[in-house]
Amino acid sequence: MKNGLNKLWKAFAASILGLLGFASCESVTEGIEMYGQPHADFKALGTVSDETGKPVEGIRVAIRQHRHYDNTPDVIFGQNDWYENDTLYTDSNGAYELSKTIFDFDKPKDVRIVFEDIDGAENGGEFESAEATPEIKRTKKGDKSWYGGAFEVQADVTLKKK
């Protein structure tokens, strides 16, 4: 008797769940349904030199972006709201460049670039760290869909010796 009720209950539950599953496949919203994720092209570039104008090689360049959670419950704001997107190093001309695709809902917000001398006395001496908050410029418009366009930041800095 118990096995019969158990089989009947499983068949009933499978039927109900099957019906609910098919009902959820209907379109809920108006408009076009698309596959993908919001994204944009992002470029950061610039040069690093010393106080005499000589390019500095081997400077660590950390590009950080600020996360914005407007009107989002249960989000703790603090120091971890800044996250490093990428780290790169200046070349022999003191130049750095990063090109990448970012996945965001709109344009990048609040980009901060941190410059650190990590090689000590090599490449021209020891330098103090520096920081830049460059203006974010739109270089290409989006397509009013998933592609948000292209954005660029440029920061040329002069490092002071320690």
Side-chain angles (χ1 to χ4, degrees), residues 55-59 89-96:
V56 182
E57 182 180 2
I59 297 297
Y89 300 88
T90 57
D91 62 15
S92 59
N93 297 320
Y96 67 93

Side-chain angles (χ1 to χ4, degrees), residues 16-47:
I16 295 298
L17 291 175
L19 290 174
L20 291 175
F22 288 115
S24 69
C25 292
E26 294 177 19
S27 180
V28 177
T29 61
E30 299 283 329
I32 300 170
E33 295 183 24
M34 297 182 290
Y35 175 78
Q37 181 175 354
H39 65 280
D41 296 322
F42 178 76
K43 187 179 206 178
L45 67 147
T47 58

Side-chain angles (χ1 to χ4, degrees), residues 77-92:
F77 294 93
Q79 294 176 351
N80 293 329
D81 290 338
W82 285 94
Y83 66 98
E84 280 189 23
N85 281 358
D86 286 284
T87 299
L88 49 151
Y89 300 88
T90 57
D91 62 15
S92 59

Side-chain angles (χ1 to χ4, degrees), residues 6-22:
N6 206 5
K7 285 182 182 180
L8 182 63
W9 171 248
K10 286 181 180 180
F12 177 72
S15 300
I16 295 298
L17 291 175
L19 290 174
L20 291 175
F22 288 115

